[in-house]
PDB file of all heavy atoms in Angstrom:
ATOM      1  N   ASN H   1       6.959  17.720  -7.239  1.00  0.00           N
ATOM      2  CA  ASN H   1       5.880  18.377  -6.636  1.00  0.00           C
ATOM      3  C   ASN H   1       5.106  19.061  -7.775  1.00  0.00           C
ATOM      4  O   ASN H   1       5.563  19.995  -8.343  1.00  0.00           O
ATOM      5  CB  ASN H   1       6.351  19.509  -5.622  1.00  0.00           C
ATOM      6  CG  ASN H   1       5.186  20.091  -4.892  1.00  0.00           C
ATOM      7  OD1 ASN H   1       4.054  19.616  -4.937  1.00  0.00           O
ATOM      8  ND2 ASN H   1       5.433  21.181  -4.161  1.00  0.00           N
ATOM      9  N   PRO H   2       3.875  18.440  -7.943  1.00  0.00           N
ATOM     10  CA  PRO H   2       2.990  19.027  -9.061  1.00  0.00           C
ATOM     11  C   PRO H   2       2.525  20.328  -8.773  1.00  0.00           C
ATOM     12  O   PRO H   2       2.011  21.149  -9.601  1.00  0.00           O
ATOM     13  CB  PRO H   2       1.963  18.008  -9.329  1.00  0.00           C
ATOM     14  CG  PRO H   2       1.764  17.385  -7.829  1.00  0.00           C
ATOM     15  CD  PRO H   2       3.151  17.377  -7.273  1.00  0.00           C
ATOM     16  N   ARG H   3       2.480  20.911  -7.446  1.00  0.00           N
ATOM     17  CA  ARG H   3       1.885  22.232  -7.186  1.00  0.00           C
ATOM     18  C   ARG H   3       2.961  23.224  -7.135  1.00  0.00           C
ATOM     19  O   ARG H   3       2.678  24.309  -6.412  1.00  0.00           O
ATOM     20  CB  ARG H   3       1.028  21.986  -5.844  1.00  0.00           C
ATOM     21  CG  ARG H   3       0.007  21.072  -5.940  1.00  0.00           C
ATOM     22  CD  ARG H   3      -0.927  21.094  -4.770  1.00  0.00           C
ATOM     23  NE  ARG H   3      -1.998  20.139  -4.968  1.00  0.00           N
ATOM     24  CZ  ARG H   3      -3.195  20.385  -5.562  1.00  0.00           C
ATOM     25  NH1 ARG H   3      -3.310  21.554  -6.154  1.00  0.00           N
ATOM     26  NH2 ARG H   3      -4.099  19.424  -5.608  1.00  0.00           N
ATOM     27  N   GLU H   4       4.233  22.970  -7.410  1.00  0.00           N
ATOM     28  CA  GLU H   4       5.279  23.960  -7.312  1.00  0.00           C
ATOM     29  C   GLU H   4       4.993  25.187  -8.216  1.00  0.00           C
ATOM     30  O   GLU H   4       4.464  25.142  -9.327  1.00  0.00           O
ATOM     31  CB  GLU H   4       6.601  23.364  -7.700  1.00  0.00           C
ATOM     32  CG  GLU H   4       7.639  24.295  -7.473  1.00  0.00           C
ATOM     33  CD  GLU H   4       8.978  24.015  -8.210  1.00  0.00           C
ATOM     34  OE1 GLU H   4       8.825  23.013  -8.942  1.00  0.00           O
ATOM     35  OE2 GLU H   4      10.062  24.485  -8.147  1.00  0.00           O
ATOM     36  N   TYR H   5       5.372  26.282  -7.681  1.00  0.00           N
ATOM     37  CA  TYR H   5       5.127  27.503  -8.578  1.00  0.00           C
ATOM     38  C   TYR H   5       6.074  27.564  -9.688  1.00  0.00           C
ATOM     39  O   TYR H   5       7.361  27.309  -9.496  1.00  0.00           O
ATOM     40  CB  TYR H   5       5.409  28.724  -7.575  1.00  0.00           C
ATOM     41  CG  TYR H   5       5.221  30.240  -8.387  1.00  0.00           C
ATOM     42  CD1 TYR H   5       4.032  30.567  -8.810  1.00  0.00           C
ATOM     43  CD2 TYR H   5       6.399  30.788  -8.649  1.00  0.00           C
ATOM     44  CE1 TYR H   5       4.019  31.694  -9.567  1.00  0.00           C
ATOM     45  CE2 TYR H   5       6.273  31.914  -9.417  1.00  0.00           C
ATOM     46  CZ  TYR H   5       5.087  32.527  -9.873  1.00  0.00           C
ATOM     47  OH  TYR H   5       5.127  33.631 -10.566  1.00  0.00           O
ATOM     48  N   THR H   6       5.538  27.754 -10.945  1.00  0.00           N
ATOM     49  CA  THR H   6       6.508  27.700 -12.127  1.00  0.00           C
ATOM     50  C   THR H   6       6.591  28.981 -12.909  1.00  0.00           C
ATOM     51  O   THR H   6       6.499  29.134 -13.959  1.00  0.00           O
ATOM     52  CB  THR H   6       5.754  26.596 -12.951  1.00  0.00           C
ATOM     53  OG1 THR H   6       4.517  27.089 -13.346  1.00  0.00           O
ATOM     54  CG2 THR H   6       5.751  25.246 -12.473  1.00  0.00           C
ATOM     55  N   GLY H   7       6.901  30.017 -11.965  1.00  0.00           N
ATOM     56  CA  GLY H   7       7.122  31.259 -12.617  1.00  0.00           C
ATOM     57  C   GLY H   7       6.139  31.976 -13.365  1.00  0.00           C
ATOM     58  O   GLY H   7       6.303  32.531 -14.375  1.00  0.00           O
ATOM     59  N   GLY H   8       4.927  31.762 -12.872  1.00  0.00           N
ATOM     60  CA  GLY H   8       3.712  32.426 -13.447  1.00  0.00           C
ATOM     61  C   GLY H   8       3.087  31.478 -14.486  1.00  0.00           C
ATOM     62  O   GLY H   8       1.985  31.875 -15.001  1.00  0.00           O
ATOM     63  N   ASN H   9       3.637  30.390 -14.935  1.00  0.00           N
ATOM     64  CA  ASN H   9       2.894  29.505 -15.848  1.00  0.00           C
ATOM     65  C   ASN H   9       1.875  28.659 -15.103  1.00  0.00           C
ATOM     66  O   ASN H   9       1.883  27.497 -14.883  1.00  0.00           O
ATOM     67  CB  ASN H   9       3.974  28.728 -16.522  1.00  0.00           C
ATOM     68  CG  ASN H   9       3.334  27.945 -17.747  1.00  0.00           C
ATOM     69  OD1 ASN H   9       2.273  28.101 -18.056  1.00  0.00           O
ATOM     70  ND2 ASN H   9       4.251  27.233 -18.382  1.00  0.00           N
ATOM     71  N   HIS H  10       0.613  29.297 -14.792  1.00  0.00           N
ATOM     72  CA  HIS H  10      -0.346  28.601 -14.089  1.00  0.00           C
ATOM     73  C   HIS H  10      -1.007  27.594 -14.852  1.00  0.00           C
ATOM     74  O   HIS H  10      -1.502  26.594 -14.411  1.00  0.00           O
ATOM     75  CB  HIS H  10      -1.432  29.686 -13.498  1.00  0.00           C
ATOM     76  CG  HIS H  10      -0.857  30.702 -12.750  1.00  0.00           C
ATOM     77  ND1 HIS H  10      -0.450  30.406 -11.355  1.00  0.00           N
ATOM     78  CD2 HIS H  10      -0.496  31.989 -12.902  1.00  0.00           C
ATOM     79  CE1 HIS H  10       0.121  31.506 -10.760  1.00  0.00           C
ATOM     80  NE2 HIS H  10       0.030  32.506 -11.755  1.00  0.00           N
ATOM     81  N   ASP H  11      -1.157  27.776 -16.261  1.00  0.00           N
ATOM     82  CA  ASP H  11      -1.810  26.880 -17.061  1.00  0.00           C
ATOM     83  C   ASP H  11      -1.054  25.490 -17.052  1.00  0.00           C
ATOM     84  O   ASP H  11      -1.658  24.392 -16.998  1.00  0.00           O
ATOM     85  CB  ASP H  11      -1.984  27.205 -18.466  1.00  0.00           C
ATOM     86  CG  ASP H  11      -2.880  28.460 -18.589  1.00  0.00           C
ATOM     87  OD1 ASP H  11      -3.774  28.567 -17.736  1.00  0.00           O
ATOM     88  OD2 ASP H  11      -2.753  29.427 -19.563  1.00  0.00           O
ATOM     89  N   LYS H  12       0.212  25.489 -17.108  1.00  0.00           N
ATOM     90  CA  LYS H  12       0.968  24.190 -17.063  1.00  0.00           C
ATOM     91  C   LYS H  12       0.882  23.563 -15.750  1.00  0.00           C
ATOM     92  O   LYS H  12       0.785  22.388 -15.661  1.00  0.00           O
ATOM     93  CB  LYS H  12       2.480  24.628 -17.325  1.00  0.00           C
ATOM     94  CG  LYS H  12       3.328  23.403 -17.411  1.00  0.00           C
ATOM     95  CD  LYS H  12       4.800  23.718 -17.695  1.00  0.00           C
ATOM     96  CE  LYS H  12       5.726  22.593 -17.719  1.00  0.00           C
ATOM     97  NZ  LYS H  12       7.085  22.976 -18.069  1.00  0.00           N
ATOM     98  N   THR H  13       0.733  24.352 -14.582  1.00  0.00           N
ATOM     99  CA  THR H  13       0.615  23.809 -13.336  1.00  0.00           C
ATOM    100  C   THR H  13      -0.778  23.165 -13.237  1.00  0.00           C
ATOM    101  O   THR H  13      -0.800  21.917 -12.595  1.00  0.00           O
ATOM    102  CB  THR H  13       0.757  24.917 -12.207  1.00  0.00           C
ATOM    103  OG1 THR H  13       1.960  25.559 -12.402  1.00  0.00           O
ATOM    104  CG2 THR H  13       0.600  24.233 -10.900  1.00  0.00           C
ATOM    105  N   ARG H  14      -1.873  23.802 -13.645  1.00  0.00           N
ATOM    106  CA  ARG H  14      -3.058  23.137 -13.737  1.00  0.00           C
ATOM    107  C   ARG H  14      -3.269  21.725 -14.400  1.00  0.00           C
ATOM    108  O   ARG H  14      -3.848  20.841 -14.182  1.00  0.00           O
ATOM    109  CB  ARG H  14      -4.209  24.084 -14.116  1.00  0.00           C
ATOM    110  CG  ARG H  14      -4.503  25.151 -13.107  1.00  0.00           C
ATOM    111  CD  ARG H  14      -5.747  25.898 -13.435  1.00  0.00           C
ATOM    112  NE  ARG H  14      -5.643  26.603 -14.620  1.00  0.00           N
ATOM    113  CZ  ARG H  14      -5.177  27.962 -14.657  1.00  0.00           C
ATOM    114  NH1 ARG H  14      -5.049  28.504 -13.486  1.00  0.00           N
ATOM    115  NH2 ARG H  14      -5.173  28.660 -15.855  1.00  0.00           N
ATOM    116  N   ALA H  15      -2.572  21.792 -15.733  1.00  0.00           N
ATOM    117  CA  ALA H  15      -2.366  20.531 -16.446  1.00  0.00           C
ATOM    118  C   ALA H  15      -1.688  19.507 -15.822  1.00  0.00           C
ATOM    119  O   ALA H  15      -2.227  18.278 -15.789  1.00  0.00           O
ATOM    120  CB  ALA H  15      -1.853  20.879 -17.867  1.00  0.00           C
ATOM    121  N   GLU H  16      -0.687  19.866 -15.054  1.00  0.00           N
ATOM    122  CA  GLU H  16       0.091  18.904 -14.398  1.00  0.00           C
ATOM    123  C   GLU H  16      -0.704  18.334 -13.186  1.00  0.00           C
ATOM    124  O   GLU H  16      -0.674  17.177 -12.967  1.00  0.00           O
ATOM    125  CB  GLU H  16       1.411  19.373 -13.811  1.00  0.00           C
ATOM    126  CG  GLU H  16       2.508  19.714 -15.051  1.00  0.00           C
ATOM    127  CD  GLU H  16       3.665  20.275 -14.513  1.00  0.00           C
ATOM    128  OE1 GLU H  16       3.741  20.556 -13.320  1.00  0.00           O
ATOM    129  OE2 GLU H  16       4.628  20.436 -15.254  1.00  0.00           O
ATOM    130  N   ASP H  17      -1.533  19.165 -12.635  1.00  0.00           N
ATOM    131  CA  ASP H  17      -2.293  18.800 -11.438  1.00  0.00           C
ATOM    132  C   ASP H  17      -3.366  17.857 -11.909  1.00  0.00           C
ATOM    133  O   ASP H  17      -3.677  16.908 -11.352  1.00  0.00           O
ATOM    134  CB  ASP H  17      -3.100  20.007 -10.966  1.00  0.00           C
ATOM    135  CG  ASP H  17      -2.056  20.699  -9.924  1.00  0.00           C
ATOM    136  OD1 ASP H  17      -0.968  20.270  -9.772  1.00  0.00           O
ATOM    137  OD2 ASP H  17      -2.330  21.942  -9.625  1.00  0.00           O
ATOM    138  N   GLY H  18      -4.002  18.034 -13.166  1.00  0.00           N
ATOM    139  CA  GLY H  18      -5.006  17.314 -13.677  1.00  0.00           C
ATOM    140  C   GLY H  18      -4.556  15.769 -14.022  1.00  0.00           C
ATOM    141  O   GLY H  18      -5.196  14.877 -13.716  1.00  0.00           O
ATOM    142  N   GLU H  19      -3.451  15.828 -14.606  1.00  0.00           N
ATOM    143  CA  GLU H  19      -2.774  14.431 -14.835  1.00  0.00           C
ATOM    144  C   GLU H  19      -2.363  13.672 -13.597  1.00  0.00           C
ATOM    145  O   GLU H  19      -2.604  12.499 -13.609  1.00  0.00           O
ATOM    146  CB  GLU H  19      -1.448  14.741 -15.739  1.00  0.00           C
ATOM    147  CG  GLU H  19      -1.736  15.267 -17.120  1.00  0.00           C
ATOM    148  CD  GLU H  19      -0.453  15.544 -17.919  1.00  0.00           C
ATOM    149  OE1 GLU H  19       0.604  15.209 -17.268  1.00  0.00           O
ATOM    150  OE2 GLU H  19      -0.510  15.992 -19.018  1.00  0.00           O
ATOM    151  N   PHE H  20      -1.995  14.395 -12.571  1.00  0.00           N
ATOM    152  CA  PHE H  20      -1.479  13.873 -11.343  1.00  0.00           C
ATOM    153  C   PHE H  20      -2.888  13.266 -10.675  1.00  0.00           C
ATOM    154  O   PHE H  20      -2.852  12.135 -10.232  1.00  0.00           O
ATOM    155  CB  PHE H  20      -0.880  14.886 -10.461  1.00  0.00           C
ATOM    156  CG  PHE H  20      -0.521  14.388  -9.097  1.00  0.00           C
ATOM    157  CD1 PHE H  20       0.589  13.446  -8.955  1.00  0.00           C
ATOM    158  CD2 PHE H  20      -1.120  14.661  -7.845  1.00  0.00           C
ATOM    159  CE1 PHE H  20       0.953  13.055  -7.854  1.00  0.00           C
ATOM    160  CE2 PHE H  20      -0.774  14.212  -6.749  1.00  0.00           C
ATOM    161  CZ  PHE H  20       0.299  13.353  -6.557  1.00  0.00           C
ATOM    162  N   VAL H  21      -4.036  14.073 -10.709  1.00  0.00           N
ATOM    163  CA  VAL H  21      -5.227  13.533 -10.008  1.00  0.00           C
ATOM    164  C   VAL H  21      -5.826  12.356 -10.801  1.00  0.00           C
ATOM    165  O   VAL H  21      -6.239  11.398 -10.184  1.00  0.00           O
ATOM    166  CB  VAL H  21      -6.280  14.745 -10.071  1.00  0.00           C
ATOM    167  CG1 VAL H  21      -7.628  14.200  -9.602  1.00  0.00           C
ATOM    168  CG2 VAL H  21      -5.715  15.782  -9.142  1.00  0.00           C
ATOM    169  N   GLN H  22      -5.565  12.356 -12.197  1.00  0.00           N
ATOM    170  CA  GLN H  22      -6.106  11.271 -12.907  1.00  0.00           C
ATOM    171  C   GLN H  22      -5.400  10.058 -12.707  1.00  0.00           C
ATOM    172  O   GLN H  22      -5.998   8.853 -12.612  1.00  0.00           O
ATOM    173  CB  GLN H  22      -6.054  11.634 -14.497  1.00  0.00           C
ATOM    174  CG  GLN H  22      -6.702  10.539 -15.341  1.00  0.00           C
ATOM    175  CD  GLN H  22      -8.090  10.259 -15.189  1.00  0.00           C
ATOM    176  OE1 GLN H  22      -8.890  11.313 -14.913  1.00  0.00           O
ATOM    177  NE2 GLN H  22      -8.584   9.073 -15.155  1.00  0.00           N
ATOM    178  N   VAL H  23      -4.064  10.081 -12.563  1.00  0.00           N
ATOM    179  CA  VAL H  23      -3.342   9.054 -12.150  1.00  0.00           C
ATOM    180  C   VAL H  23      -3.731   8.373 -10.875  1.00  0.00           C
ATOM    181  O   VAL H  23      -3.809   7.102 -10.702  1.00  0.00           O
ATOM    182  CB  VAL H  23      -1.692   9.343 -12.090  1.00  0.00           C
ATOM    183  CG1 VAL H  23      -0.919   8.212 -11.487  1.00  0.00           C
ATOM    184  CG2 VAL H  23      -1.270   9.671 -13.538  1.00  0.00           C
ATOM    185  N   LEU H  24      -3.972   9.307  -9.861  1.00  0.00           N
ATOM    186  CA  LEU H  24      -4.515   8.645  -8.530  1.00  0.00           C
ATOM    187  C   LEU H  24      -5.753   8.062  -8.693  1.00  0.00           C
ATOM    188  O   LEU H  24      -6.084   7.057  -8.010  1.00  0.00           O
ATOM    189  CB  LEU H  24      -4.504   9.923  -7.576  1.00  0.00           C
ATOM    190  CG  LEU H  24      -3.334  10.606  -7.069  1.00  0.00           C
ATOM    191  CD1 LEU H  24      -3.537  11.806  -6.094  1.00  0.00           C
ATOM    192  CD2 LEU H  24      -2.437   9.624  -6.457  1.00  0.00           C
ATOM    193  N   ARG H  25      -6.693   8.555  -9.475  1.00  0.00           N
ATOM    194  CA  ARG H  25      -8.123   7.937  -9.638  1.00  0.00           C
ATOM    195  C   ARG H  25      -7.882   6.668 -10.256  1.00  0.00           C
ATOM    196  O   ARG H  25      -8.514   5.607  -9.948  1.00  0.00           O
ATOM    197  CB  ARG H  25      -8.911   8.866 -10.498  1.00  0.00           C
ATOM    198  CG  ARG H  25      -9.412  10.123  -9.878  1.00  0.00           C
ATOM    199  CD  ARG H  25     -10.328  11.000 -10.698  1.00  0.00           C
ATOM    200  NE  ARG H  25     -10.642  12.216 -10.034  1.00  0.00           N
ATOM    201  CZ  ARG H  25     -11.354  13.139 -10.588  1.00  0.00           C
ATOM    202  NH1 ARG H  25     -11.595  13.073 -11.903  1.00  0.00           N
ATOM    203  NH2 ARG H  25     -11.772  14.197  -9.970  1.00  0.00           N
ATOM    204  N   ASP H  26      -7.086   6.502 -11.389  1.00  0.00           N
ATOM    205  CA  ASP H  26      -6.809   5.258 -11.901  1.00  0.00           C
ATOM    206  C   ASP H  26      -6.201   4.167 -10.998  1.00  0.00           C
ATOM    207  O   ASP H  26      -6.644   2.990 -10.918  1.00  0.00           O
ATOM    208  CB  ASP H  26      -5.919   5.357 -13.206  1.00  0.00           C
ATOM    209  CG  ASP H  26      -6.537   6.086 -14.160  1.00  0.00           C
ATOM    210  OD1 ASP H  26      -7.757   6.300 -14.182  1.00  0.00           O
ATOM    211  OD2 ASP H  26      -5.690   6.547 -15.245  1.00  0.00           O
ATOM    212  N   ALA H  27      -5.289   4.652 -10.170  1.00  0.00           N
ATOM    213  CA  ALA H  27      -4.809   3.715  -9.190  1.00  0.00           C
ATOM    214  C   ALA H  27      -5.824   3.353  -8.066  1.00  0.00           C
ATOM    215  O   ALA H  27      -5.808   2.133  -7.654  1.00  0.00           O
ATOM    216  CB  ALA H  27      -3.506   4.390  -8.505  1.00  0.00           C
ATOM    217  N   ASP H  28      -6.689   4.260  -7.724  1.00  0.00           N
ATOM    218  CA  ASP H  28      -7.656   3.999  -6.742  1.00  0.00           C
ATOM    219  C   ASP H  28      -8.665   2.883  -7.301  1.00  0.00           C
ATOM    220  O   ASP H  28      -9.034   2.009  -6.566  1.00  0.00           O
ATOM    221  CB  ASP H  28      -8.349   5.172  -6.357  1.00  0.00           C
ATOM    222  CG  ASP H  28      -9.454   4.921  -5.377  1.00  0.00           C
ATOM    223  OD1 ASP H  28      -9.175   4.674  -4.282  1.00  0.00           O
ATOM    224  OD2 ASP H  28     -10.622   5.177  -5.710  1.00  0.00           O
ATOM    225  N   LEU H  29      -9.084   2.991  -8.563  1.00  0.00           N
ATOM    226  CA  LEU H  29      -9.942   2.044  -9.106  1.00  0.00           C
ATOM    227  C   LEU H  29      -9.338   0.713  -9.129  1.00  0.00           C
ATOM    228  O   LEU H  29      -9.988  -0.374  -8.980  1.00  0.00           O
ATOM    229  CB  LEU H  29     -10.457   2.479 -10.585  1.00  0.00           C
ATOM    230  CG  LEU H  29     -11.349   3.656 -10.697  1.00  0.00           C
ATOM    231  CD1 LEU H  29     -11.627   4.069 -12.119  1.00  0.00           C
ATOM    232  CD2 LEU H  29     -12.772   3.455  -9.878  1.00  0.00           C
ATOM    233  N   LYS H  30      -7.995   0.605  -9.467  1.00  0.00           N
ATOM    234  CA  LYS H  30      -7.346  -0.635  -9.649  1.00  0.00           C
ATOM    235  C   LYS H  30      -7.202  -1.418  -8.203  1.00  0.00           C
ATOM    236  O   LYS H  30      -7.280  -2.621  -8.118  1.00  0.00           O
ATOM    237  CB  LYS H  30      -6.008  -0.569 -10.193  1.00  0.00           C
ATOM    238  CG  LYS H  30      -5.992  -0.224 -11.727  1.00  0.00           C
ATOM    239  CD  LYS H  30      -4.671  -0.080 -12.339  1.00  0.00           C
ATOM    240  CE  LYS H  30      -4.694   0.257 -13.713  1.00  0.00           C
ATOM    241  NZ  LYS H  30      -3.447   0.334 -14.401  1.00  0.00           N
ATOM    242  N   CYS H  31      -7.004  -0.497  -7.299  1.00  0.00           N
ATOM    243  CA  CYS H  31      -6.743  -0.995  -5.850  1.00  0.00           C
ATOM    244  C   CYS H  31      -8.091  -1.048  -5.096  1.00  0.00           C
ATOM    245  O   CYS H  31      -8.015  -1.486  -3.849  1.00  0.00           O
ATOM    246  CB  CYS H  31      -5.802  -0.079  -5.283  1.00  0.00           C
ATOM    247  SG  CYS H  31      -4.206  -0.156  -6.013  1.00  0.00           S
ATOM    248  N   LYS H  32      -9.241  -0.505  -5.676  1.00  0.00           N
ATOM    249  CA  LYS H  32     -10.436  -0.579  -4.858  1.00  0.00           C
ATOM    250  C   LYS H  32     -10.920  -1.929  -4.405  1.00  0.00           C
ATOM    251  O   LYS H  32     -10.991  -2.904  -5.246  1.00  0.00           O
ATOM    252  CB  LYS H  32     -11.525   0.067  -5.730  1.00  0.00           C
ATOM    253  CG  LYS H  32     -12.786   0.288  -4.982  1.00  0.00           C
ATOM    254  CD  LYS H  32     -13.833   1.175  -5.879  1.00  0.00           C
ATOM    255  CE  LYS H  32     -15.064   1.379  -5.048  1.00  0.00           C
ATOM    256  NZ  LYS H  32     -14.961   2.335  -4.075  1.00  0.00           N
ATOM    257  N   VAL H  33     -11.377  -2.019  -3.213  1.00  0.00           N
ATOM    258  CA  VAL H  33     -11.890  -3.296  -2.653  1.00  0.00           C
ATOM    259  C   VAL H  33     -13.352  -3.324  -2.907  1.00  0.00           C
ATOM    260  O   VAL H  33     -14.130  -2.578  -2.556  1.00  0.00           O
ATOM    261  CB  VAL H  33     -11.675  -3.288  -1.113  1.00  0.00           C
ATOM    262  CG1 VAL H  33     -12.206  -4.631  -0.567  1.00  0.00           C
ATOM    263  CG2 VAL H  33     -10.234  -3.306  -0.783  1.00  0.00           C
ATOM    264  N   ARG H  34     -13.800  -4.349  -3.720  1.00  0.00           N
ATOM    265  CA  ARG H  34     -15.131  -4.532  -4.167  1.00  0.00           C
ATOM    266  C   ARG H  34     -15.704  -5.633  -3.378  1.00  0.00           C
ATOM    267  O   ARG H  34     -15.123  -6.744  -3.047  1.00  0.00           O
ATOM    268  CB  ARG H  34     -15.284  -4.802  -5.545  1.00  0.00           C
ATOM    269  CG  ARG H  34     -14.941  -3.692  -6.534  1.00  0.00           C
ATOM    270  CD  ARG H  34     -14.974  -4.054  -7.916  1.00  0.00           C
ATOM    271  NE  ARG H  34     -14.885  -2.920  -8.895  1.00  0.00           N
ATOM    272  CZ  ARG H  34     -13.648  -2.566  -9.289  1.00  0.00           C
ATOM    273  NH1 ARG H  34     -12.469  -3.038  -8.871  1.00  0.00           N
ATOM    274  NH2 ARG H  34     -13.466  -1.460 -10.080  1.00  0.00           N
ATOM    275  N   TYR H  35     -16.989  -5.575  -3.082  1.00  0.00           N
ATOM    276  CA  TYR H  35     -17.760  -6.745  -2.474  1.00  0.00           C
ATOM    277  C   TYR H  35     -18.072  -7.651  -3.475  1.00  0.00           C
ATOM    278  O   TYR H  35     -18.338  -7.425  -4.584  1.00  0.00           O
ATOM    279  CB  TYR H  35     -19.008  -6.161  -1.700  1.00  0.00           C
ATOM    280  CG  TYR H  35     -18.773  -5.297  -0.373  1.00  0.00           C
ATOM    281  CD1 TYR H  35     -18.653  -3.848  -0.770  1.00  0.00           C
ATOM    282  CD2 TYR H  35     -18.527  -5.774   0.676  1.00  0.00           C
ATOM    283  CE1 TYR H  35     -18.379  -3.133   0.417  1.00  0.00           C
ATOM    284  CE2 TYR H  35     -18.151  -5.061   1.839  1.00  0.00           C
ATOM    285  CZ  TYR H  35     -18.186  -3.676   1.730  1.00  0.00           C
ATOM    286  OH  TYR H  35     -17.851  -2.957   2.782  1.00  0.00           O
ATOM    287  N   PRO H  36     -18.371  -9.015  -3.058  1.00  0.00           N
ATOM    288  CA  PRO H  36     -18.619 -10.076  -4.113  1.00  0.00           C
ATOM    289  C   PRO H  36     -19.951  -9.820  -4.846  1.00  0.00           C
ATOM    290  O   PRO H  36     -19.958  -9.936  -5.965  1.00  0.00           O
ATOM    291  CB  PRO H  36     -18.424 -11.280  -3.389  1.00  0.00           C
ATOM    292  CG  PRO H  36     -17.666 -10.943  -2.053  1.00  0.00           C
ATOM    293  CD  PRO H  36     -18.001  -9.467  -1.803  1.00  0.00           C
ATOM    294  N   LEU H  37     -20.914  -9.492  -4.144  1.00  0.00           N
ATOM    295  CA  LEU H  37     -22.205  -9.641  -4.767  1.00  0.00           C
ATOM    296  C   LEU H  37     -23.258  -8.395  -4.384  1.00  0.00           C
ATOM    297  O   LEU H  37     -23.362  -8.082  -3.106  1.00  0.00           O
ATOM    298  CB  LEU H  37     -22.982 -10.929  -4.394  1.00  0.00           C
ATOM    299  CG  LEU H  37     -24.239 -11.290  -4.886  1.00  0.00           C
ATOM    300  CD1 LEU H  37     -24.268 -11.220  -6.529  1.00  0.00           C
ATOM    301  CD2 LEU H  37     -24.798 -12.469  -4.426  1.00  0.00           C
ATOM    302  N   HIS H  38     -23.923  -7.883  -5.303  1.00  0.00           N
ATOM    303  CA  HIS H  38     -25.012  -6.975  -4.997  1.00  0.00           C
ATOM    304  C   HIS H  38     -26.321  -7.611  -5.557  1.00  0.00           C
ATOM    305  O   HIS H  38     -26.416  -8.137  -6.684  1.00  0.00           O
ATOM    306  CB  HIS H  38     -24.774  -5.664  -5.725  1.00  0.00           C
ATOM    307  CG  HIS H  38     -25.891  -4.563  -5.552  1.00  0.00           C
ATOM    308  ND1 HIS H  38     -27.031  -4.634  -6.141  1.00  0.00           N
ATOM    309  CD2 HIS H  38     -26.042  -3.490  -4.628  1.00  0.00           C
ATOM    310  CE1 HIS H  38     -27.869  -3.762  -5.833  1.00  0.00           C
ATOM    311  NE2 HIS H  38     -27.307  -3.007  -4.960  1.00  0.00           N
TER     312      HIS H  38
END
């Protein structure tokens, strides 16, 4: 759980959250369904 309370270390939690969100974005771009032609 990236949002677990870590004994007051909020900076570490935010950094882990950022990495977690970036992984989700990269996975979304790879799995994104694109239309053939614009």
Side-chain angles (χ1 to χ4, degrees):
N1 185 11
R3 299 188 180 278
E4 182 197 7
Y5 178 71
T6 56
N9 192 355
H10 299 288
D11 294 336
K12 182 178 180 181
T13 302
R14 284 194 293 268
E16 291 177 352
D17 284 350
E19 294 177 359
F20 182 70
V21 171
Q22 185 61 41
V23 169
L24 289 179
R25 287 177 178 174
D26 294 342
D28 179 65
L29 288 176
K30 291 180 180 179
C31 300
K32 186 178 181 64
V33 177
R34 292 178 172 84
Y35 292 95
L37 181 64
H38 179 281

